[in-house]
Amino acid sequence: MSNIFKIGKLRLWQEYCKRETAAHNLNYLFWECTLRCNLKCRHCGSSCGDVVPPGELDTKEIKKAFADIAREFDAKKIMVAVTGGEALLRKDVFEVMKYAHALGFPWGMVTNGTLITPEIIEKMKDSGMSSVSVSLDGLEANHTWQRVGTDTFKRATAGIRMLVAAKFPIVEAITCVNKRNIKELEEIYAFCKELGVTNWRMFSISPVGRAKECGEMFLDAKEWKYLFEFIAAKRKSEKKLEISFCEEGFFGPELEGTMRDQFFFCWAGIKVGSILYNGDIGACPILPREQTRQGNVRTDDFAKVWNEKFNLFRDRDWRKTGKCEKCVWWDFCQGNSLHLWDIKEKKLDLCHMEMFGKEKL
């Protein structure tokens, strides 16, 4: 496909995104149910661990939040992603999500997989969970290096095998690609097929939390190019395993549309919202909280906040500054993903087009 044709498709995509931004129909909601975790992963943007910050929503409070949202929105059209910390450490997670599912919400969970047991799987099924994403950050040595803990690889892969055997509709392996494990993507791919997962999703990490101090987390231009060529080739040839890359940024007309099902657009605050562990209302949990919180479910009506706030996410002209101000790719990129910004300083921390040397047409 020629770049001229691709650019034409990108322009049509941006028109669609403008309409969706104006409508801002919520269809994906993160519930960060806890910041407690049994591991201390090197890439964790929230620096989770054994110490739990005060203020976690209790059972009654989060149930009320879901009930309020279901009253104002069509719950059947909002996918809830339960995340943490480690979601399975929250004792009432299945009670809460069984209640939410009864209100109409479809839901899934992101987990490090180390706490999965046959009893947990029965609770997953009973509460209406339809998808589960389990971290698989390499073969044993690299996974263990990244997921700091005891027997993290063996426990996570055992959990995946149990979920596959239980015939969940979607069992997804998610891989944080970094300088260490990028060299074994072929082996991870083969292992995903051997495990029998339905989906394999790759993502990169932002310089926040513990990851900020770990240089081995971040790819250079050559590694990015290899990653996308790898994903594009596998997506073209693979028929059974769904392979994708999670939203990160704009990568230019040659790569857009090859490694994910749609072109780049950051849906944070437009289709994607979140309820954080303490009730704060935001967009994506990985964003800096002090600059992006829009309200709190303890004191604010979620629907009103969603419909009347979030201007930070929906009006992107404030990002047209610095290197973005005169960039020829602005119409397609609009300042890249918000998690790649230093919001306080109003500057873009990572521009992929600049990294690739393609900041000019």
Side-chain angles (χ1 to χ4, degrees), residues 167-265:
K167 301 188 184 305
F168 267 85
I170 298 176
V171 180
E172 179 180 64
I174 52 176
T175 300
C176 173
V177 182
N178 56 68
K179 284 185 177 298
R180 291 172 65 109
N181 64 16
I182 195 169
K183 300 171 184 176
E184 59 183 23
L185 290 182
E186 283 285 358
E187 289 87 348
I188 301 170
Y189 163 70
F191 190 50
C192 284
K193 295 196 74 174
E194 188 265 312
L195 287 171
V197 298
T198 56
N199 298 54
W200 181 30
R201 175 163 53 97
M202 285 159 272
F203 68 101
S204 62
I205 199 67
S206 301
V208 294
R210 281 196 288 268
K212 188 184 295 186
E213 309 303 322
C214 187
E216 289 180 276
M217 287 284 105
F218 308 110
L219 306 177
D220 59 31
K222 185 178 179 180
E223 290 162 335
W224 275 110
K225 187 173 185 295
Y226 170 77
L227 172 63
F228 289 139
E229 288 177 349
F230 172 85
I231 294 173
K234 286 291 184 271
R235 281 169 57 87
K236 190 174 181 179
S237 63
E238 177 61 49
K239 303 301 180 184
K240 294 182 179 180
L241 178 63
E242 291 288 332
I243 300 172
S244 64
F245 177 76
C246 189
E247 176 272 327
E248 169 71 5
F250 178 72
F251 295 97
E254 296 97 338
L255 292 171
E256 287 297 325
T258 64
M259 68 283 189
R260 49 193 168 206
D261 293 334
Q262 59 184 22
F263 296 130
F264 165 74
F265 192 76

Side-chain angles (χ1 to χ4, degrees), residues 1-16:
M1 187 185 296
S2 71
N3 278 358
I4 294 175
F5 182 59
K6 254 304 186 54
I7 287 173
K9 292 190 73 174
L10 282 166
R11 292 199 182 282
L12 289 174
W13 171 250
Q14 284 302 320
E15 288 302 313
Y16 165 77

Side-chain angles (χ1 to χ4, degrees), residues 18-87:
K18 287 178 184 177
R19 294 195 299 271
E20 292 298 301
T21 299
H24 53 263
N25 293 317
L26 178 69
N27 66 13
Y28 201 87
L29 179 67
F30 287 101
W31 174 36
E32 180 190 68
C33 67
T34 184
L35 283 185
R36 184 184 172 204
C37 191
N38 59 325
L39 305 181
K40 291 187 178 179
C41 303
R42 297 179 191 273
H43 70 285
C44 183
S46 302
S47 299
C48 296
D50 292 336
V51 179
V52 182
E56 190 174 280
L57 292 175
D58 63 28
T59 307
K60 183 177 179 181
E61 289 172 322
I62 187 59
K63 282 184 175 181
K64 181 180 183 301
F66 279 123
D68 290 345
I69 294 168
R71 195 160 43 244
E72 299 294 333
F73 298 89
D74 185 349
K76 293 183 178 64
K77 295 181 179 179
I78 302 173
M79 179 68 183
V80 176
V82 180
T83 184
E86 172 49 51

